[in-house]
Amino acid sequence: MSGGRLSTRLSRLLNMVPYFLANPGISAQEAAAELGVSTKQLMSDLNQLWMCGLPGYGPGDLIDLSFSEESIEVTFSAGIDRPLRLTSIEATALLVALRSIADLPGMVDPTAAHAAMAKIEAAIPGNRPADAPAPGAPVEAPAVAAVRHALAAGHALRLVYYSASRDAVSERVVDPIRIVLVDNNSYLQAWCRQAEGARLFRLDRIQEATELDEPARPPHHATDEAAALDLFSDDPSVPLARLLIRPDYGWVLEQYPMHRMSVRPDGSVEATMRFATLDWMARLLLGFGAGVTVLGPAELVTAVRERSRAALAAYENLEVA
């Protein structure tokens, strides 16, 4: 499970105990609708939550729940309903985590995050006094604020978006689903009406966002958390590069959206990768040097070969000069 999916689920689990304490006896269907998950996912979360609690992990330490699809009730909260007293080390760790999240566009309301940080800092012995003015929260980009507001209101969005892979700016209407964290970047997961598919839009590449006065209606299958977090959808209309990756360049497979196809006896890996423009892909592959060899398509092989020759010729001219 990716870090983005884990953090999303952890946040949901932490909110479930106070939610069900405030809504005793609520049905699984009602709770799932309010929490924005499927009934199946909710029941899976409840089974997970049932095994959580305080160190010791005995009957008096674990969260206890009485749940079925008809009714859910917390019978023992394991202290989650009580204010938490943090040690200095715990408070510092929480501050670091809050700062890292607050620095990511769209993940949280920056004003609320910085207010929480100010309260935690004031509670740490020897730190800033509680009545001292808190540093101002950074101003949130208008586009990011519009995305968060539309998501909360359940409205569609019109985006002006810069695609790095295509090196182009496009305008499209999307139905927001959620904001996710992938590889330390925050993305809007949404149903793109133009592409007719679930897509992720990196928030710092959204140049403009306009909330529309119409409800967001992503297809039901697009809202499934497990199915829709693929950052680079396998769109058959986008060209496919076939690559041979040397054994000592295995890190490339982790850093780029490649699909492993087979492993050769010498340990090299055959993989594929979708790309939008020939020039962009050729530049990327040249940066890998001899670590990655292009197997196809023919036009990409030609582009890489021609760029390599041009680069060698430029070096030769420098040596002569």
Side-chain angles (χ1 to χ4, degrees), residues 187-294:
Y187 294 81
L188 169 66
Q189 180 189 325
W191 178 262
C192 177
R193 297 182 184 178
Q194 177 181 323
E196 296 186 344
R199 295 291 185 269
L200 292 185
F201 301 94
R202 203 166 118 172
L203 286 177
D204 60 359
R205 292 177 182 165
I206 297 177
Q207 297 184 351
E208 296 178 25
T210 305
E211 183 176 350
L212 303 181
D213 189 20
E214 61 177 278
R217 294 193 182 93
H220 180 71
H221 69 271
T223 62
D224 181 72
E225 189 175 359
L229 285 177
D230 184 9
L231 177 57
F232 301 91
S233 298
D234 196 21
D235 186 347
S237 66
V238 179
L240 184 69
R242 292 184 295 108
L243 310 170
L244 181 63
I245 302 166
R246 218 166 61 186
D248 55 333
Y249 270 67
W251 57 269
V252 171
L253 291 161
E254 303 298 328
Q255 296 291 325
Y256 294 89
M258 297 181 181
H259 295 277
R260 189 189 305 259
M261 302 301 291
S262 63
V263 180
R264 294 188 176 182
D266 65 352
S268 57
V269 178
E270 290 189 37
T272 60
M273 176 178 170
R274 297 281 177 187
F275 64 96
T277 65
L278 201 64
D279 285 346
W280 181 88
M281 191 64 181
R283 289 198 304 271
L284 175 69
L285 294 173
L286 283 172
F288 297 139
V292 179
T293 302
V294 187

Side-chain angles (χ1 to χ4, degrees), residues 89-105:
I89 294 175
E90 289 171 336
T92 302
L94 183 56
L95 281 172
V96 171
L98 272 173
R99 286 197 181 99
S100 65
I101 294 174
D103 289 341
L104 292 168

Side-chain angles (χ1 to χ4, degrees), residues 21-35:
L21 284 170
N23 298 275
I26 190 171
S27 71
Q29 185 176 3
E30 290 177 293
E34 289 197 15
L35 294 171

